[in-house]
Amino acid sequence: MDRKRRTVVYLASASMAILFAGLYFRQHALLLRPGQGSKAWMFTFLALSVLSAGLLALLGVIDAKGFFGGRVEQWMVEGSAPTAPVPELEEAQRVRASGDPLEAIRLLREYLQSKPYELHVMSRIAEIYRYDLDNDLAAALEYEELLKHKLPDDQWAWAALHLAKLYGRLNELEKSVALLEQLDHKYSHTVAGKRAQKALQAVRDPEGKGLEDAADSDPEAET
């Protein structure tokens, strides 16, 4: 639900809760007078007031969970990149260098399974698919999964720039342009966002020159 609709629902729920609560108290006051008011209407208004307040509370809980959950995930992601050598990652890199990329991917996925918030590992997996196995589709799918998470702007932008380039190689020009435009509009403050501006011109060029250079200029920058 977008912000405008969410605001409308909040206002409607709050208004109904206040309205039905007011009608309940009015009926309650009338019942204190002989021959006036209706218990049926009083309890009806009470139930409607409680339901409206409950809906309002539920919306608040959902929004709070989403907000704080996203903040926690982003905090964990931002602090997930290792600052010291990690034996598991070094072993995966050694295996990759020895000419066994599939085993390197297995080791990286095993590590990611044990430490799911170290999302930078997904970009390494995507790079192996792309550069070692020449599997652009698998690399694109890996980047797509990575971009579903909340990431620091620089990391998200680099992954998106590489994905845009892969879309171009997969002849999905519309997806490539849409992603580059998103980078240009929302991530222009990042290095990758600035390069996306040039890549936009390149991807629209019939000769298709420049996009690959823009994405490959720093192939591991998002890590």
Short mmCIF file of all heavy atoms in Angstrom, two decimals, residues 115-151:
data_model
loop_
_atom_site.label_atom_id
_atom_site.label_comp_id
_atom_site.label_asym_id
_atom_site.label_seq_id
_atom_site.Cartn_x
_atom_site.Cartn_y
_atom_site.Cartn_z
N LYS A 115 25.32 -17.46 7.51
CA LYS A 115 25.35 -16.02 7.85
C LYS A 115 24.52 -15.27 6.81
O LYS A 115 25.08 -14.59 5.93
CB LYS A 115 26.79 -15.51 7.89
CG LYS A 115 27.66 -16.21 8.93
CD LYS A 115 29.05 -15.61 8.97
CE LYS A 115 29.94 -16.38 9.95
NZ LYS A 115 29.45 -16.32 11.32
N PRO A 116 23.20 -15.38 6.90
CA PRO A 116 22.31 -14.85 5.84
C PRO A 116 22.37 -13.34 5.65
O PRO A 116 21.94 -12.85 4.60
CB PRO A 116 20.92 -15.29 6.30
CG PRO A 116 21.05 -15.53 7.78
CD PRO A 116 22.44 -16.04 7.97
N TYR A 117 22.89 -12.59 6.62
CA TYR A 117 22.94 -11.14 6.47
C TYR A 117 24.23 -10.66 5.80
O TYR A 117 24.38 -9.47 5.55
CB TYR A 117 22.75 -10.44 7.81
CG TYR A 117 21.29 -10.41 8.23
CD1 TYR A 117 20.81 -11.30 9.17
CD2 TYR A 117 20.42 -9.50 7.64
CE1 TYR A 117 19.48 -11.28 9.55
CE2 TYR A 117 19.08 -9.47 8.01
CZ TYR A 117 18.62 -10.36 8.96
OH TYR A 117 17.30 -10.34 9.31
N GLU A 118 25.13 -11.55 5.50
CA GLU A 118 26.34 -11.16 4.78
C GLU A 118 26.05 -11.21 3.28
O GLU A 118 26.59 -12.03 2.52
CB GLU A 118 27.51 -12.05 5.18
CG GLU A 118 27.88 -11.88 6.65
CD GLU A 118 29.34 -12.20 6.94
OE1 GLU A 118 30.12 -12.28 5.99
OE2 GLU A 118 29.68 -12.36 8.12
N LEU A 119 25.19 -10.30 2.85
CA LEU A 119 24.65 -10.33 1.50
C LEU A 119 25.69 -10.02 0.43
O LEU A 119 25.45 -10.29 -0.75
CB LEU A 119 23.47 -9.34 1.40
CG LEU A 119 22.29 -9.65 2.32
CD1 LEU A 119 21.27 -8.53 2.27
CD2 LEU A 119 21.65 -10.97 1.94
N HIS A 120 26.81 -9.44 0.81
CA HIS A 120 27.86 -9.16 -0.17
C HIS A 120 28.33 -10.44 -0.85
O HIS A 120 28.85 -10.40 -1.96
CB HIS A 120 29.05 -8.47 0.52
CG HIS A 120 29.64 -9.28 1.62
ND1 HIS A 120 30.69 -10.16 1.41
CD2 HIS A 120 29.32 -9.38 2.93
CE1 HIS A 120 31.00 -10.75 2.56
NE2 HIS A 120 30.19 -10.29 3.50
N VAL A 121 28.12 -11.58 -0.18
CA VAL A 121 28.52 -12.87 -0.76
C VAL A 121 27.73 -13.16 -2.04
O VAL A 121 28.25 -13.78 -2.96
CB VAL A 121 28.32 -14.00 0.27
CG1 VAL A 121 28.58 -15.36 -0.35
CG2 VAL A 121 29.25 -13.78 1.46
N MET A 122 26.50 -12.66 -2.10
CA MET A 122 25.68 -12.90 -3.29
C MET A 122 26.29 -12.26 -4.53
O MET A 122 26.21 -12.79 -5.64
CB MET A 122 24.26 -12.38 -3.06
CG MET A 122 23.51 -13.09 -1.96
SD MET A 122 21.85 -12.43 -1.69
CE MET A 122 21.04 -13.01 -3.18
N SER A 123 26.92 -11.11 -4.34
CA SER A 123 27.56 -10.45 -5.49
C SER A 123 28.76 -11.25 -5.96
O SER A 123 29.05 -11.30 -7.16
CB SER A 123 27.97 -9.02 -5.12
OG SER A 123 28.96 -9.02 -4.12
N ARG A 124 29.46 -11.91 -5.04
CA ARG A 124 30.58 -12.76 -5.44
C ARG A 124 30.08 -13.95 -6.25
O ARG A 124 30.71 -14.35 -7.24
CB ARG A 124 31.34 -13.25 -4.20
CG ARG A 124 32.02 -12.15 -3.40
CD ARG A 124 33.03 -12.74 -2.45
NE ARG A 124 33.64 -11.71 -1.62
CZ ARG A 124 34.71 -11.92 -0.86
NH1 ARG A 124 35.29 -13.11 -0.85
NH2 ARG A 124 35.21 -10.95 -0.12
N ILE A 125 28.97 -14.52 -5.81
CA ILE A 125 28.38 -15.63 -6.55
C ILE A 125 27.99 -15.19 -7.95
O ILE A 125 28.24 -15.89 -8.94
CB ILE A 125 27.17 -16.19 -5.79
CG1 ILE A 125 27.60 -16.82 -4.46
CG2 ILE A 125 26.41 -17.21 -6.64
CD1 ILE A 125 26.46 -17.24 -3.56
N ALA A 126 27.38 -14.01 -8.05
CA ALA A 126 26.98 -13.49 -9.35
C ALA A 126 28.19 -13.30 -10.26
O ALA A 126 28.14 -13.58 -11.46
CB ALA A 126 26.22 -12.17 -9.18
N GLU A 127 29.28 -12.81 -9.69
CA GLU A 127 30.49 -12.59 -10.49
C GLU A 127 31.05 -13.91 -11.03
O GLU A 127 31.54 -13.98 -12.17
CB GLU A 127 31.55 -11.88 -9.64
CG GLU A 127 31.21 -10.42 -9.35
CD GLU A 127 32.03 -9.87 -8.21
OE1 GLU A 127 33.00 -10.55 -7.81
OE2 GLU A 127 31.71 -8.79 -7.72
N ILE A 128 30.99 -14.95 -10.22
CA ILE A 128 31.49 -16.26 -10.68
C ILE A 128 30.63 -16.77 -11.83
O ILE A 128 31.14 -17.27 -12.83
CB ILE A 128 31.51 -17.27 -9.51
CG1 ILE A 128 32.52 -16.84 -8.46
CG2 ILE A 128 31.84 -18.67 -10.03
CD1 ILE A 128 32.54 -17.71 -7.22
N TYR A 129 29.30 -16.64 -11.67
CA TYR A 129 28.41 -17.06 -12.76
C TYR A 129 28.75 -16.30 -14.05
O TYR A 129 28.78 -16.87 -15.13
CB TYR A 129 26.96 -16.79 -12.39
CG TYR A 129 26.32 -17.88 -11.57
CD1 TYR A 129 25.68 -17.59 -10.37
CD2 TYR A 129 26.33 -19.21 -12.00
CE1 TYR A 129 25.08 -18.59 -9.61
CE2 TYR A 129 25.73 -20.21 -11.24
CZ TYR A 129 25.11 -19.90 -10.06
OH TYR A 129 24.52 -20.89 -9.32
N ARG A 130 29.01 -15.02 -13.89
CA ARG A 130 29.20 -14.18 -15.07
C ARG A 130 30.58 -14.36 -15.70
O ARG A 130 30.71 -14.60 -16.91
CB ARG A 130 28.99 -12.72 -14.69
CG ARG A 130 29.21 -11.76 -15.85
CD ARG A 130 29.08 -10.34 -15.38
NE ARG A 130 29.54 -9.42 -16.42
CZ ARG A 130 29.80 -8.14 -16.21
NH1 ARG A 130 29.64 -7.64 -15.01
NH2 ARG A 130 30.21 -7.37 -17.19
N TYR A 131 31.63 -14.24 -14.91
CA TYR A 131 32.98 -14.22 -15.45
C TYR A 131 33.59 -15.62 -15.62
O TYR A 131 34.35 -15.85 -16.55
CB TYR A 131 33.90 -13.38 -14.57
CG TYR A 131 33.52 -11.92 -14.54
CD1 TYR A 131 32.96 -11.35 -13.40
CD2 TYR A 131 33.69 -11.11 -15.66
CE1 TYR A 131 32.60 -10.01 -13.37
CE2 TYR A 131 33.32 -9.77 -15.64
CZ TYR A 131 32.78 -9.23 -14.50
OH TYR A 131 32.41 -7.90 -14.47
N ASP A 132 33.28 -16.55 -14.72
CA ASP A 132 33.90 -17.86 -14.77
C ASP A 132 33.06 -18.87 -15.57
O ASP A 132 33.61 -19.75 -16.22
CB ASP A 132 34.12 -18.41 -13.36
CG ASP A 132 35.09 -17.56 -12.56
OD1 ASP A 132 34.84 -16.36 -12.37
OD2 ASP A 132 36.11 -18.10 -12.11
N LEU A 133 31.74 -18.74 -15.46
CA LEU A 133 30.86 -19.71 -16.11
C LEU A 133 30.14 -19.15 -17.33
O LEU A 133 29.40 -19.88 -18.00
CB LEU A 133 29.82 -20.22 -15.10
CG LEU A 133 30.40 -20.97 -13.90
CD1 LEU A 133 29.32 -21.26 -12.86
CD2 LEU A 133 31.06 -22.28 -14.35
N ASP A 134 30.31 -17.87 -17.60
CA ASP A 134 29.65 -17.22 -18.74
C ASP A 134 28.14 -17.46 -18.73
O ASP A 134 27.52 -17.65 -19.78
CB ASP A 134 30.25 -17.73 -20.07
CG ASP A 134 31.69 -17.28 -20.25
OD1 ASP A 134 32.00 -16.14 -19.86
OD2 ASP A 134 32.49 -18.06 -20.79
N ASN A 135 27.57 -17.45 -17.56
CA ASN A 135 26.12 -17.67 -17.42
C ASN A 135 25.48 -16.35 -16.99
O ASN A 135 25.31 -16.08 -15.80
CB ASN A 135 25.86 -18.77 -16.39
CG ASN A 135 24.42 -19.24 -16.40
OD1 ASN A 135 23.51 -18.49 -16.76
ND2 ASN A 135 24.20 -20.49 -16.01
N ASP A 136 25.13 -15.54 -17.97
CA ASP A 136 24.57 -14.22 -17.67
C ASP A 136 23.23 -14.32 -16.97
O ASP A 136 22.89 -13.49 -16.11
CB ASP A 136 24.42 -13.41 -18.97
CG ASP A 136 25.76 -13.03 -19.56
OD1 ASP A 136 26.74 -12.97 -18.81
OD2 ASP A 136 25.83 -12.80 -20.78
N LEU A 137 22.42 -15.30 -17.36
CA LEU A 137 21.09 -15.45 -16.75
C LEU A 137 21.20 -15.75 -15.27
O LEU A 137 20.51 -15.14 -14.44
CB LEU A 137 20.30 -16.54 -17.46
CG LEU A 137 18.90 -16.83 -16.90
CD1 LEU A 137 18.04 -15.57 -16.93
CD2 LEU A 137 18.23 -17.96 -17.66
N ALA A 138 22.06 -16.70 -14.91
CA ALA A 138 22.23 -17.04 -13.49
C ALA A 138 22.78 -15.85 -12.71
O ALA A 138 22.36 -15.61 -11.57
CB ALA A 138 23.17 -18.24 -13.35
N ALA A 139 23.70 -15.12 -13.30
CA ALA A 139 24.24 -13.93 -12.64
C ALA A 139 23.15 -12.89 -12.44
O ALA A 139 23.06 -12.27 -11.36
CB ALA A 139 25.38 -13.35 -13.48
N ALA A 140 22.31 -12.70 -13.45
CA ALA A 140 21.23 -11.72 -13.33
C ALA A 140 20.25 -12.12 -12.24
O ALA A 140 19.80 -11.28 -11.44
CB ALA A 140 20.50 -11.60 -14.67
N LEU A 141 19.92 -13.40 -12.16
CA LEU A 141 19.00 -13.88 -11.12
C LEU A 141 19.58 -13.65 -9.73
O LEU A 141 18.86 -13.31 -8.79
CB LEU A 141 18.69 -15.36 -11.33
CG LEU A 141 17.87 -15.70 -12.58
CD1 LEU A 141 17.76 -17.21 -12.75
CD2 LEU A 141 16.47 -15.08 -12.48
N GLU A 142 20.89 -13.82 -9.61
CA GLU A 142 21.55 -13.61 -8.31
C GLU A 142 21.48 -12.14 -7.91
O GLU A 142 21.19 -11.81 -6.76
CB GLU A 142 22.99 -14.07 -8.38
CG GLU A 142 23.64 -14.31 -7.02
CD GLU A 142 23.08 -15.54 -6.32
OE1 GLU A 142 22.63 -16.48 -6.99
OE2 GLU A 142 23.10 -15.55 -5.07
N TYR A 143 21.75 -11.26 -8.87
CA TYR A 143 21.66 -9.82 -8.58
C TYR A 143 20.22 -9.41 -8.26
O TYR A 143 19.98 -8.56 -7.41
CB TYR A 143 22.18 -9.01 -9.76
CG TYR A 143 23.67 -8.87 -9.81
CD1 TYR A 143 24.39 -9.25 -10.94
CD2 TYR A 143 24.38 -8.36 -8.72
CE1 TYR A 143 25.77 -9.13 -10.99
CE2 TYR A 143 25.76 -8.24 -8.77
CZ TYR A 143 26.45 -8.62 -9.90
OH TYR A 143 27.82 -8.48 -9.93
N GLU A 144 19.26 -10.01 -8.96
CA GLU A 144 17.85 -9.70 -8.67
C GLU A 144 17.50 -10.04 -7.23
O GLU A 144 16.79 -9.28 -6.56
CB GLU A 144 16.94 -10.46 -9.64
CG GLU A 144 16.93 -9.91 -11.05
CD GLU A 144 16.08 -10.73 -12.00
OE1 GLU A 144 15.67 -11.84 -11.62
OE2 GLU A 144 15.84 -10.27 -13.13
N GLU A 145 17.96 -11.20 -6.77
CA GLU A 145 17.70 -11.59 -5.38
C GLU A 145 18.40 -10.64 -4.42
O GLU A 145 17.84 -10.27 -3.38
CB GLU A 145 18.19 -13.03 -5.15
CG GLU A 145 17.31 -14.09 -5.75
CD GLU A 145 15.89 -14.04 -5.21
OE1 GLU A 145 15.73 -13.95 -3.97
OE2 GLU A 145 14.94 -14.07 -6.01
N LEU A 146 19.61 -10.23 -4.77
CA LEU A 146 20.35 -9.30 -3.91
C LEU A 146 19.62 -7.98 -3.77
O LEU A 146 19.54 -7.41 -2.67
CB LEU A 146 21.75 -9.08 -4.49
CG LEU A 146 22.65 -8.07 -3.76
CD1 LEU A 146 22.87 -8.49 -2.31
CD2 LEU A 146 23.98 -7.93 -4.48
N LEU A 147 19.07 -7.47 -4.86
CA LEU A 147 18.40 -6.16 -4.85
C LEU A 147 17.07 -6.18 -4.11
O LEU A 147 16.51 -5.12 -3.84
CB LEU A 147 18.20 -5.67 -6.28
CG LEU A 147 19.47 -5.37 -7.07
CD1 LEU A 147 19.13 -4.87 -8.46
CD2 LEU A 147 20.33 -4.35 -6.34
N LYS A 148 16.57 -7.36 -3.77
CA LYS A 148 15.32 -7.43 -3.00
C LYS A 148 15.55 -7.06 -1.53
O LYS A 148 14.60 -6.79 -0.81
CB LYS A 148 14.73 -8.84 -3.08
CG LYS A 148 14.20 -9.21 -4.46
CD LYS A 148 13.67 -10.64 -4.47
CE LYS A 148 13.17 -11.03 -5.85
NZ LYS A 148 12.69 -12.44 -5.87
N HIS A 149 16.80 -7.04 -1.11
CA HIS A 149 17.13 -6.74 0.28
C HIS A 149 17.43 -5.25 0.44
O HIS A 149 17.74 -4.55 -0.51
CB HIS A 149 18.34 -7.55 0.73
CG HIS A 149 18.13 -9.02 0.71
ND1 HIS A 149 17.59 -9.73 1.77
CD2 HIS A 149 18.37 -9.94 -0.26
CE1 HIS A 149 17.51 -11.00 1.46
NE2 HIS A 149 17.98 -11.17 0.24
N LYS A 150 17.32 -4.80 1.67
CA LYS A 150 17.68 -3.42 1.99
C LYS A 150 19.20 -3.36 2.11
O LYS A 150 19.80 -4.04 2.93
CB LYS A 150 17.02 -2.98 3.30
CG LYS A 150 15.51 -2.82 3.18
CD LYS A 150 14.94 -2.27 4.49
CE LYS A 150 13.43 -2.10 4.39
NZ LYS A 150 13.03 -1.13 3.38
N LEU A 151 19.80 -2.53 1.27
CA LEU A 151 21.25 -2.43 1.22
C LEU A 151 21.68 -0.97 1.34
O LEU A 151 20.88 -0.06 1.06
CB LEU A 151 21.77 -2.98 -0.12
CG LEU A 151 21.43 -4.43 -0.47
CD1 LEU A 151 21.77 -4.70 -1.92
CD2 LEU A 151 22.19 -5.38 0.44
#
